[in-house]
Amino acid sequence: MKKSREYINNLKKGKEREHLSYEDQPLNDLNDDEPLPEHATKHFFKVFLIIFISVVLVVIWANIDKLTPDNISHWVEYDLLGKTEGEGYPASFSGADVDTDNFDLMDGAPVYCTDTSVAVLNPNAGKYQSFNHAYANPALSTNSNYSIVYNIGATGYTVIDRNSVVRSDSTDNNIFCGDICPNGIYCLLTDNENYLGKLTVYRADGLEMYTYSFADFYVNRVSVNREGDHAVVSGLTAKNGGLLSAIYVLDFSQSSYMRKYEFDDVYIYDLKYLDNGNAVAVGDKCAYYIDIVKGSKKDIDYHSRFITGYDLSRQNGMIISLSATPDGRECDILMVDTEGDALSGIFTKRKIISSDYSNGNTTVLFDDGELAIYNSKGTKLSSAELSTDARKVKIADKRIYVLGKSSIYCITQDNNGELHTERKNSDKNK
């Protein structure tokens, strides 16, 4: 009897439990009555607080460009907390028309301008924002945090960020072209009674900060640098029965242009001020790289091929589709980086509808609806089949957005490089 009492007492003290089932032991015997030492508790909370603050600082640093008064609340709601309104891609804009020039990426988000409205989409095809416009001939220009929509041949324009309309205003004269900086500074090319064209540069708050009038060339394209203190402008005029084009380099602190380059019998389609401080331009017969600092110009020959399409990127340079025949078939890809070096060509020998260049790879959209990714050596890495109505492709990290006639598609790339076309949840269940 005494041994039995000792055995029970030893069990209560935690001895000889190796053969005891938890089911046979009273629950109160399993409780640890000794509290965690106070110094250990304080140490734990200090470590937890340091880790928490570190994570918050890393998240803030990674998204520092988004932490502005206009979009910090939206960043917290959608990016930090992961809210994604929307039914998934493809995103439809039935009953409206989107020109290929009016489809781009703003801060990685698809932005498009139809003949009646403007919308910015989130990763789940919901809308960060959407609003109607009354522009008869709308045009869209995008740069990182901001976009400007303007009415070609009229006076109205609207500045937006990803989440809201920043400014809606009008000019005194009709608009030809416009551009905007990541810091909100924007510029507009307009006609002028006494000159062939006029450039007006505005601060982010809409106040005028610089003007330049053109007397010799009818200006048609403008691109402003990242800081908002320089611009390149293209123009054209007639000379001896032929065509003469020009590119001006403007410093907003000077009353006269820095440099001017002229091109005989060449039409300049477009130009772009690169983030590294230089510029590129694409023409009908040749492309050009302009070193702003050195004042030099480099010609990039098409070698008698016909240009069928192009994309100019402030971060990557330019990519040009060239065809061996006038009908636009048998296309090759020419890539020119931000240092003006022509990279290895991609020889597809197929009709190319659109192409984009990012992270060292080129995404090409063919006329039969195939989307293919090539590396810089011209090797096809992966491909996917799309609707034949696909018209333009834009790359955002591992997402590829494709503009169709009535929808925007999203193609994702997995860790193995394989491409997958996203489908709405309602479509998956059919």
Side-chain angles (χ1 to χ4, degrees):
M1 192 68 164
K2 181 179 179 181
K3 184 176 181 181
S4 297
R5 285 198 297 269
E6 290 178 354
Y7 182 77
I8 292 174
N9 290 335
N10 288 336
L11 288 179
K12 291 182 178 181
K13 294 179 181 179
K15 297 180 180 180
E16 300 182 28
R17 287 188 179 175
E18 61 271 22
H19 302 296
L20 179 67
S21 170
Y22 287 109
E23 288 79 3
D24 297 330
Q25 183 180 359
L27 291 176
N28 57 355
D29 285 349
L30 295 175
N31 293 333
D32 189 355
D33 295 331
E34 293 187 17
L36 191 67
E38 184 177 353
H39 71 278
T41 303
K42 291 182 178 180
H43 180 71
F44 170 78
F45 280 111
K46 286 181 179 179
V47 172
F48 174 79
L49 185 60
I50 292 173
I51 293 175
F52 176 77
I53 293 175
S54 299
V55 171
V56 171
L57 290 176
V58 169
V59 173
I60 291 176
W61 178 257
N63 296 273
I64 192 68
D65 59 324
K66 303 176 185 178
L67 300 182
T68 63
D70 290 334
N71 63 13
I72 187 170
S73 61
H74 209 285
W75 172 76
V76 170
E77 184 178 5
Y78 284 86
D79 295 343
L80 188 60
L81 300 182
K83 182 178 179 181
T84 53
E85 296 177 349
E87 299 179 353
Y89 288 90
S92 175
F93 48 86
S94 300
D97 179 62
V98 179
D99 189 90
T100 54
D101 290 336
N102 289 341
F103 172 67
D104 211 331
L105 299 178
M106 182 168 61
D107 194 23
V111 55
Y112 64 88
C113 177
T114 75
D115 48 2
T116 58
S117 64
V118 178
V120 186
L121 304 182
N122 70 22
N124 204 38
K127 292 180 179 179
Y128 284 124
Q129 70 157 317
S130 177
F131 63 91
N132 294 328
H133 67 77
Y135 300 157
N137 193 11
L140 172 73
S141 181
T142 299
N143 190 345
S144 184
N145 304 321
Y146 292 92
S147 291
I148 183 169
V149 182
Y150 51 93
N151 196 5
I152 298 177
T155 60
Y157 69 90
T158 301
V159 176
I160 66 172
D161 61 17
R162 190 179 65 174
N163 310 311
S164 61
V165 173
V166 176
R167 179 171 305 282
S168 186
D169 211 334
S170 62
T171 59
D172 294 331
N173 298 292
N174 292 335
I175 301 170
F176 298 143
C177 185
D179 197 22
I180 195 163
C181 303
N183 58 17
I185 293 174
Y186 60 97
C187 60
L188 293 166
L189 283 178
T190 63
D191 60 16
N192 187 271
E193 292 182 359
N194 301 316
Y195 294 90
L196 301 183
K198 180 181 179 180
L199 174 69
T200 305
V201 183
Y202 302 86
R203 299 186 335 191
D205 59 8
L207 295 179
E208 184 180 303
M209 59 177 281
Y210 175 81
T211 63
Y212 187 89
S213 298
F214 300 87
D216 301 323
F217 288 82
Y218 293 92
V219 289
N220 59 346
R221 303 295 295 179
V222 60
S223 180
V224 66
N225 70 336
R226 185 175 184 83
E227 294 74 23
D229 54 11
H230 288 73
V232 286
V233 179
S234 64
L236 66 156
T237 190
K239 179 183 177 182
N240 299 327
L243 179 67
L244 179 67
S245 294
I247 294 178
Y248 292 82
V249 181
L250 300 175
D251 182 342
F252 298 163
S253 65
Q254 301 178 11
S255 59
S256 182
Y257 60 81
M258 286 178 58
R259 295 181 181 87
K260 184 172 72 171
Y261 303 91
E262 296 187 356
F263 311 88
D264 285 316
D265 199 27
V266 172
Y267 182 83
I268 301 296
Y269 289 129
D270 205 352
L271 75 174
K272 193 74 69 176
Y273 216 121
L274 304 176
D275 284 347
N276 69 352
N278 296 314
V280 291
V282 57
D284 58 346
K285 299 176 181 178
C286 190
Y288 306 96
Y289 180 86
I290 298 174
D291 191 314
I292 303 294
V293 176
K294 296 180 180 178
S296 60
K297 175 180 66 70
K298 180 179 181 180
D299 296 359
I300 300 167
D301 201 332
Y302 296 161
H303 298 294
S304 300
R305 292 174 293 180
F306 303 88
I307 182 170
T308 64
Y310 63 88
D311 185 80
L312 306 182
S313 168
R314 306 175 202 269
Q315 297 81 28
N316 300 309
M318 59 182 167
I319 181 169
I320 303 171
S321 167
L322 299 169
S323 173
T325 60
D327 62 2
R329 300 185 181 277
E330 298 186 18
C331 292
D332 301 327
I333 291 289
L334 171 65
M335 295 176 292
V336 180
D337 64 17
T338 56
E339 300 302 322
D341 296 326
L343 307 178
S344 300
I346 298 174
F347 307 104
T348 71
K349 299 305 177 185
R350 298 169 62 184
K351 187 173 184 178
I352 294 175
I353 300 299
S354 176
S355 57
D356 197 11
Y357 174 67
S358 179
N359 299 323
N361 293 331
T362 300
T363 300
V364 180
L365 179 65
F366 295 106
D367 64 332
D368 59 0
E370 183 188 14
L371 183 77
I373 297 181
Y374 295 83
N375 62 19
S376 59
K377 297 181 180 179
T379 303
K380 182 189 286 190
L381 303 179
S382 55
S383 63
E385 296 298 325
L386 289 173
S387 170
T388 54
D389 73 349
R391 298 184 292 151
K392 186 176 181 179
V393 58
K394 296 299 294 184
I395 307 173
D397 196 17
K398 289 190 175 182
R399 282 173 167 253
I400 302 170
Y401 294 100
V402 181
L403 174 68
K405 289 184 178 179
S406 59
S407 300
I408 294 176
Y409 304 93
C410 181
I411 314 297
T412 57
Q413 188 175 16
D414 61 26
N415 294 330
N416 297 321
E418 297 296 324
L419 299 178
H420 306 275
T421 302
E422 289 193 7
R423 297 173 58 196
K424 295 180 179 179
N425 293 331
S426 57
D427 294 337
K428 295 177 182 178
N429 296 329
K430 289 181 179 179

